[in-house]
Amino acid sequence: DKTKDLSTQGAVISVKVMDANKGGLITRVESVPAFIPVSQLSPNNYPRVAGGEKSKIHEKLKALVGTSLDIKIIDVNEGEEKIVVSEKAVWETKQESVLAKYKIGDAVEGAVTAVTDFGAFIRFEENLEGLVHISEIAWQRIDHPRDVLKVGDRVRAEIINIEGSKIFLSMKKLIDDPWKSVAAKYKVGQSVKGRVLKINPFGLFVELDPDIHGLAHISELASKPVKDVNEVARIGDEFDFRIINIDPENHRLGLSLRKPKEEKA
């Protein structure tokens, strides 16, 4: 049986995509019908669709009809004379040889290919792609990766983990942590000008400088209890705050608008 021979050899076969349905692509291997599930497409052909809309996924898959793909057989169902094939398996084998050049701690440079709620994807050298999680983009807290990055931006990052063919990157590791030298800039008790960046029910996020942001808790906004933070400030407002605590390790700095004599004994 030809297909069985091919699958045991793990051969890379070039096939033509004949049709597409919502679940994947239809092709033939040596005249035997074959199926490529969406999950078995390489990242280059995987339909990235916001919200996973089925009709849009189907459109992207239909665009591959007529193209040739390199695949490996991953499952042979002799009873039904059907085989399942994978483009991703071929891609992963190629990835392994490219990935072998890289190790944790290496710095890479590439272009942002996608920005999501949880981070950004960066493509570098020979189609390798890595994820920078939102917490690894910058030292300061950011609400959404799109506030800092857009598709096409060239960035540098450090490889912090490799799991199989998944690469995890950090941009902030290549920048000095500004909180290490926070004590040279700011002292507890000091009066500082700050701009309100964000308002939360529990307080204000305040920018002291581009690297160091602090929090003025709702209990520190006035001598009388504040019910609604929005009554005290709007985004962009500037105030003279007093620094009441600095915690470099946890990247925290506490601010107050209360006057020192108002502190409870």
Side-chain angles (χ1 to χ4, degrees):
D1 185 7
K2 193 90 188 256
T3 51
K4 208 161 184 204
D5 292 347
L6 287 168
S7 69
T8 49
Q9 288 162 17
V12 174
I13 310 157
S14 182
V15 295
K16 202 166 198 155
V17 179
M18 298 161 76
D19 203 356
N21 60 29
K22 284 180 181 143
L25 303 173
I26 295 140
T27 182
R28 293 181 93 80
V29 176
E30 305 280 344
S31 76
V32 179
F35 185 61
I36 312 175
V38 172
S39 63
Q40 292 302 324
L41 289 169
S42 74
N44 302 340
N45 289 325
Y46 187 85
R48 272 194 190 152
V49 174
E53 272 182 67
K54 287 207 163 57
S55 60
K56 283 193 178 161
I57 289 173
H58 193 198
E59 269 171 45
K60 291 211 168 188
L61 293 175
K62 277 199 303 203
L64 294 167
V65 172
T67 62
S68 291
L69 301 179
D70 287 340
I71 54 93
K72 272 185 186 178
I73 296 171
I74 53 171
D75 192 32
V76 177
N77 185 331
E78 286 178 82
E80 288 180 39
E81 284 223 305
K82 237 171 52 184
I83 52 181
V84 179
V85 301
S86 169
E87 186 200 16
K88 188 170 137 187
V90 177
W91 176 81
E92 281 181 341
T93 309
K94 282 185 192 159
Q95 286 284 89
E96 278 162 19
S97 60
V98 180
L99 262 177
K101 298 188 216 169
Y102 290 97
K103 59 186 188 305
I104 291 167
D106 285 352
V108 297
E109 191 177 314
V112 176
T113 53
V115 179
T116 68
D117 292 350
F118 55 83
F121 289 92
I122 292 165
R123 182 170 293 165
F124 59 97
E125 207 246 330
E126 293 188 47
N127 281 339
L128 282 186
E129 205 165 54
L131 170 69
V132 184
H133 187 263
I134 183 168
S135 61
E136 291 295 335
I137 291 174
W139 286 106
Q140 65 269 42
R141 185 184 167 281
I142 58 173
D143 285 329
H144 197 288
R146 69 166 168 260
D147 297 341
V148 185
L149 295 170
K150 62 183 188 302
V151 171
D153 283 354
R154 298 282 309 171
V155 296
R156 289 182 75 242
E158 183 176 305
I159 296 174
I160 52 172
N161 202 2
I162 298 172
E163 283 175 21
S165 61
K166 285 187 180 148
I167 306 163
F168 298 92
L169 303 167
S170 171
M171 284 166 60
K172 72 179 190 186
K173 281 200 92 158
L174 294 179
I175 312 158
D176 269 346
D177 179 358
W179 288 86
K180 278 189 197 154
S181 54
V182 70
K185 276 187 185 172
Y186 301 112
K187 307 270 185 289
V188 171
Q190 183 182 344
S191 174
V192 287
K193 250 199 188 359
R195 186 170 65 88
V196 176
L197 281 181
K198 189 167 184 270
I199 296 172
N200 264 14
F202 57 81
L204 308 174
F205 284 98
V206 179
E207 180 184 78
L208 301 187
D209 63 49
D211 294 322
I212 304 294
H213 299 169
L215 172 70
H217 190 265
I218 187 167
S219 62
E220 292 294 339
L221 297 180
S223 48
K224 297 182 182 72
V226 173
K227 283 196 177 67
D228 182 2
V229 182
N230 290 288
E231 289 171 7
V232 180
R234 287 192 171 80
I235 289 170
D237 284 356
E238 289 200 349
F239 295 99
D240 287 320
F241 292 93
R242 193 166 42 84
I243 298 174
I244 51 174
N245 60 61
I246 299 175
D247 177 357
E249 226 161 274
N250 295 305
H251 293 176
R252 287 196 183 128
L253 185 146
L255 298 164
S256 177
L257 284 174
R258 289 162 42 147
K259 293 180 179 61
K261 62 176 181 292
E262 291 170 2
E263 298 280 328
K264 295 181 190 78

